[in-house]
Amino acid sequence: MTFGLMLDMTDYHVDAVYDPKDPYPLAACGVHLVPGIFIPGPVLLHRRCLAAIPDPDDVELRPASAVRRRALDADPDDQAGPVLKVVRWRLARLYDRRIRRALASEWCRG
């Protein structure tokens, strides 16, 4: 099973979500979140959400900022120009890299 790690704009924590493409995805802890792609500062992993993952040995965690950015770019109602799309791409890439580093350094499965 794969979970996407996505920023929740309501509490600025990174949650494990079932479907990162959903406009308001459901987190593993049961809360619907308002997704984002970047905030300045450290990446804060939502411990309650990660603890709610069933059978953590069979789970793959993937950063999902880039998935969310692609969903924003594909939205027909989104009026973003090429500059904003490039900025979104860069910020999502940076945030996904920061999520990977936070996972490697902070979260242990034991």
Side-chain angles (χ1 to χ4, degrees):
M1 182 176 232
T2 302
F3 284 87
L5 293 173
M6 183 174 287
L7 173 67
D8 183 357
M9 295 301 290
T10 59
D11 67 1
Y12 302 112
H13 280 82
V14 172
D15 292 79
V17 299
Y18 291 99
D19 182 12
K21 295 176 187 168
D22 187 357
Y24 297 100
L26 180 66
C29 64
V31 176
H32 285 276
L33 56 98
V34 178
I37 60 171
F38 182 83
I39 58 166
V43 169
L44 302 172
L45 300 174
H46 191 217
R47 302 286 177 185
R48 195 181 81 172
C49 189
L50 294 174
I53 291 175
D55 198 7
D57 294 330
D58 296 331
V59 167
E60 181 182 2
L61 299 174
R62 290 187 181 166
S65 302
V67 174
R68 180 66 188 154
R69 189 253 323 147
R70 284 194 296 275
L72 286 171
D73 289 345
D75 183 4
D77 296 329
D78 186 26
Q79 301 298 319
V83 172
L84 182 55
K85 288 185 180 191
V86 168
V87 169
R88 280 183 186 161
W89 175 83
R90 182 167 165 19
L91 291 177
R93 189 167 170 246
L94 287 172
Y95 210 68
D96 279 350
R97 191 177 321 152
R98 287 171 51 197
I99 289 172
R100 280 190 192 92
R101 273 186 269 168
L103 270 178
S105 66
E106 293 180 29
W107 188 54
C108 67
R109 298 178 187 217

